[in-house]
């Protein structure tokens, strides 16, 4: 019914259905988890008590996204009521605490694992972090293996923003497994939270880095305490992850478009940045790029986005992957074996059947360990906002996708109207 006014609905019907189904499944999981936590909260209440603590209700909403109205309805059905005054106080307290500067001079960037710390972990027999869940799971259960203050390993950290709002310590947490993406390959880290299963403690993750296979989550305690052996639910910030993966996929599409438009294999990647608000791509090219070439590069990227090509990713043996015609890799980079291959539009299983086939050069196929969209239409639109030379023979393109790209287009139209 809305197709005439919004033609993109008819154009991307399958994608819209996929997104709606994914969001429906996600909300269903939120409800299931919230109901279990609600039951746990009620079970912990002293016998004869009919008032649910407002702090628990706020935590259900603030940490797990469980609707407050639904909590009130469930409480009423159970013959209980919510302590509204305490709920309002906790809500205001949370807002006030979030305004305070956290960590002082000791921010998350200052908590790092050096060679001595890594040697200590090896000596203690702490295993490397299993980070496979980062590609698929929004939430995952994990066990705390180590707590690191930046100087020492401790068994427990109990200072939180609730107890030390003006000087809460920033520290690092190692898990046995994680769904957080640690900063690497030009892609920025995830943020999010680690919450104990009984909801008694929450750790806010502000930064994630990997050191010799150990993924360190750094941040601060929001409330409660965290100790070695605790089982937590790890959940990354989806609203941060989505634009990052969009920009990462756009980097691959841009890399492909550069070779096609400039008609050269010379345009080799020399560096990149994939952030939530932009992507930056550095590449080798001796000549300046003409304005019409920039328009053609942008147009080709948007054409690929409009085709809603599926993005494939899987691990392949390094020797087999290197046989793929048109494969792109960063010169001088050392890749693991097996290596993860990301392909835009070409099924990797089909590619491996005839890796030397000339048609594969017409697709973006790269070695990459980053996170990506499932289909190119997820990127919505691609806009180049800057193209410049940063060194002799090295050029840089800065671009945006999604909401940031739409904002850039609005600014362009506004400026164009003023010029007229």
């Amino acid at each position: 019914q809305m197709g005439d006014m919004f033609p993109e609905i008819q154009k991307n019907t399958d994608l819209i259905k996929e997104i709606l189904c994914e969001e429906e499944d996600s909300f269903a999981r939120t409800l299931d988890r919230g109901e279990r936590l609600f039951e746990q909260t009620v079970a912990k209440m002293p016998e004869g008590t009919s008032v649910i603590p407002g702090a628990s209700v706020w935590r259900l909403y603030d940490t797990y996204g469980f609707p407050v109205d639904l909590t009130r309805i469930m409480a009423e059905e159970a013959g209980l009521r919510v302590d509204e005054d305490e709920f309002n106080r906790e809500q205001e307290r949370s807002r006030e605490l979030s305004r305070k500067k956290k960590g002082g001079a000791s921010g998350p960037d200052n908590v790092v694992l050096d060679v001595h710390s890594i040697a200590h972990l090896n000596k203690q027999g702490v295993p490397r972090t299993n980070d496979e869940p980062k590609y698929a799971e929004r939430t995952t259960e994990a066990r705390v293996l180590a707590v690191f203050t930046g100087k020492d390993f401790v068994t427990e950290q109990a200072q939180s923003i609730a107890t030390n709002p003006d000087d809460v310590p920033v520290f690092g947490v190692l898990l046995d497994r994680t769904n957080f993406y640690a900063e690497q390959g030009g892609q920025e880290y995830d943020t999010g939270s680690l919450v104990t299963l009984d909801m008694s403690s929450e750790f806010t993750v502000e930064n994630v880095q990997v050191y010799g296979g150990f993924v360190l989550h750094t941040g601060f305690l929001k409330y409660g305490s965290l100790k070695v052996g605790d089982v937590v639910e790890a959940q990354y910030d989806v609203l941060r992850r989505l634009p990052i993966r969009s920009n990462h996929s756009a980097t691959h599409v841009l890399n492909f478009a550069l070779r096609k438009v400039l008609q050269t294999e010379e345009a080799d990647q020399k560096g990149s940045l994939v952030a939530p608000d932009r992507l930056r791509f550095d590449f080798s090219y001796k000549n300046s790029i003409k304005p019409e070439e920039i328009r053609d590069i942008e147009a080709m990227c948007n054409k690929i986005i409009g085709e809603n090509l599926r993005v494939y990713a899987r691990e392949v043996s390094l020797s087999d992957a290197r046989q793929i015609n048109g494969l792109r890799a960063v010169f001088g980079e050392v890749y693991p074996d097996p290596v993860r291959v990301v392909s835009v539009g070409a099924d990797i299983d089909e590619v491996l059947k005839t890796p030397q086939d000339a048609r594969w050069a017409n697709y973006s196929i790269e070695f990459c360990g980053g996170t990506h969209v499932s289909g190119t239409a997820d990127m919505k639109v691609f806009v180049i906002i800057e193209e410049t030379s940063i060194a002799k023979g090295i050029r840089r393109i800065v671009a945006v996708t999604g909401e940031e790209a739409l904002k850039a287009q609005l600014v362009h139209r506004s400026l164009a109207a003023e010029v007229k």
Side-chain angles (χ1 to χ4, degrees), residues 241-395:
R241 168 77 76 90
L242 290 178
I244 287 178
R245 71 175 193 172
S246 174
N247 287 338
H248 202 150
S249 297
T251 300
H252 285 218
V253 172
L254 172 60
N255 193 6
F256 172 79
L258 283 169
R259 301 199 318 272
K260 294 300 180 182
V261 173
L262 300 180
Q263 298 181 344
T264 178
E265 291 296 317
E266 175 195 340
D268 288 323
Q269 180 177 342
K270 296 299 180 182
S272 68
L273 170 70
V274 179
D277 60 338
R278 71 193 186 285
L279 65 94
R280 188 182 70 216
F281 190 76
D282 300 339
F283 59 99
S284 58
Y285 192 64
K286 295 178 182 178
N287 304 319
S288 60
I289 300 180
K290 301 173 184 177
E292 56 268 27
E293 290 175 324
I294 294 176
R295 287 196 295 270
D296 290 344
I297 292 167
E298 187 177 282
M300 178 170 284
C301 291
N302 282 306
K303 179 177 181 295
I304 293 173
I305 290 174
E307 291 172 347
N308 192 24
L309 301 178
R310 180 177 172 182
V311 178
Y312 299 85
R314 57 160 287 194
E315 287 192 341
V316 179
S317 72
L318 190 56
S319 59
D320 289 344
R322 290 192 183 279
Q323 301 302 313
I324 299 174
N325 185 25
L327 177 81
R328 303 295 287 183
V330 179
F331 180 76
E333 186 79 12
V334 177
Y335 292 98
D337 190 7
V339 65
R340 191 165 184 264
V341 176
V342 175
S343 169
V344 179
D347 188 329
I348 297 175
D349 290 334
E350 292 299 316
V351 171
L352 292 174
K353 292 177 182 177
T354 56
Q356 294 295 321
D357 196 314
R359 59 184 164 143
W360 306 134
N362 295 317
Y363 296 90
S364 166
I365 305 176
E366 298 189 27
F367 290 161
C368 181
T371 59
H372 290 272
V373 296
S374 58
T376 56
D378 291 355
M379 293 181 270
K380 296 184 177 67
V381 66
F382 176 92
V383 175
I384 295 175
I385 59 175
E386 180 183 338
E387 191 282 322
T388 185
S389 172
I390 60 171
K392 187 173 182 179
I394 305 294
R395 305 200 70 82

Side-chain angles (χ1 to χ4, degrees), residues 231-248:
V231 177
V232 298
E233 182 175 73
Q235 47 189 359
Y236 60 76
D237 184 348
V238 177
L239 295 181
R240 175 179 168 86
R241 168 77 76 90
L242 290 178
I244 287 178
R245 71 175 193 172
S246 174
N247 287 338
H248 202 150

Side-chain angles (χ1 to χ4, degrees), residues 44-59:
K44 292 178 182 177
M45 292 169 52
E47 188 175 348
T49 302
S50 62
V51 180
I52 301 176
S56 298
V57 177
W58 169 249
R59 201 167 296 168

